[in-house]
Amino acid sequence: EDQVTQSPEALRLQEGESSSLNCSYTVSGLRGLFWYRQDPGKGPEFLFTLYSAGEEKEKERLKATLTKKESFLHITAPKPEDSATYLCAVQTGNQFYFGTGTSLTVIP
Amino acid sequence: DAGVIQSPRHEVTEMGQEVTLRCKPISGHNSLFWYRQTMMRGLELLIYFNNNVPIDDSGMPEDRFSAKMPNASFSTLKIQPSEPRDSAVYFCASSFTGDTEAFFGQGTRLTVV
């Protein structure tokens, strides 16, 4: 059964305290893995797409990596404005499966 | 571009009534998706259109749900009759192709009482 699991469910960090979010998946035939950020009351906002194991993408304080079983979203020296829910999604065939997200709170 | 536009933003309706949600995708995007988000189940893909044709509707929960895309700039998701368990936030998203990143609208918060 195709499945996407994100951990932890919630994460509280002090400003400047780096950490990583995990997205593990079991799907048959990965076509792509997507990371999104969602702020309360808004739609998910695209961050990264990863297509193959070993691939890495960076944007400001965020870096996404991909292996054959999981993806990590590394957050370096986070700021309060990085507080949001981070969602990962995997595409297999014509299906997209989202994880339930990690709620990140960065405390000033 | 204004992004994906959904209407209405909020909808409150009584059980048994018909509800129609609307979506205008980003111009030039060939793929359109309808998602439902709840606290219990997170984001679930309901249906996926490519070039206005439904490609996969396996996520549509039951026959009460239907979606159409009459042209490249408009899609609707209809629930008839609505039930309280349909209460959720419904998102429309579009992408250039089915394999590229999707851009989401602001969502429609549906409450069925």
Side-chain angles (χ1 to χ4, degrees), chain A residues 31 36 38 46 51 91 95, chain B residues 37 56 58 98-99 101-102:
Chain A
R31 291 179 66 180
Y36 288 88
Q38 186 173 25
F46 170 75
Y51 291 106
Q91 181 185 10
Q95 277 296 321
Chain B
Q37 187 173 41
D56 192 320
S58 59
D99 292 341
E101 64 272 19

Side-chain angles (χ1 to χ4, degrees), chain A residues 31-32 34 36 38 41-49 51 85 87 89 91 93-100, chain B residues 9 33 35 37 40-45 48 55-56 58-59 91 98-107 109:
Chain A
R31 291 179 66 180
F34 303 84
Y36 288 88
Q38 186 173 25
K42 296 191 174 182
E45 177 187 342
F46 170 75
L47 294 173
F48 302 108
T49 308
Y51 291 106
T85 296
L87 300 166
Q91 181 185 10
N94 291 319
Q95 277 296 321
F96 292 80
Y97 298 97
F98 273 81
T100 52
Chain B
R9 289 294 312 277
F33 309 84
Y35 285 89
Q37 187 173 41
M40 290 295 294
R41 300 173 67 91
L43 265 168
E44 300 173 284
L45 178 63
Y48 160 34
I55 301 300
D56 192 320
S58 59
F91 287 103
D99 292 341
T100 56
E101 64 272 19
F103 294 84
F104 284 74
Q106 295 279 55
R109 180 173 295 277

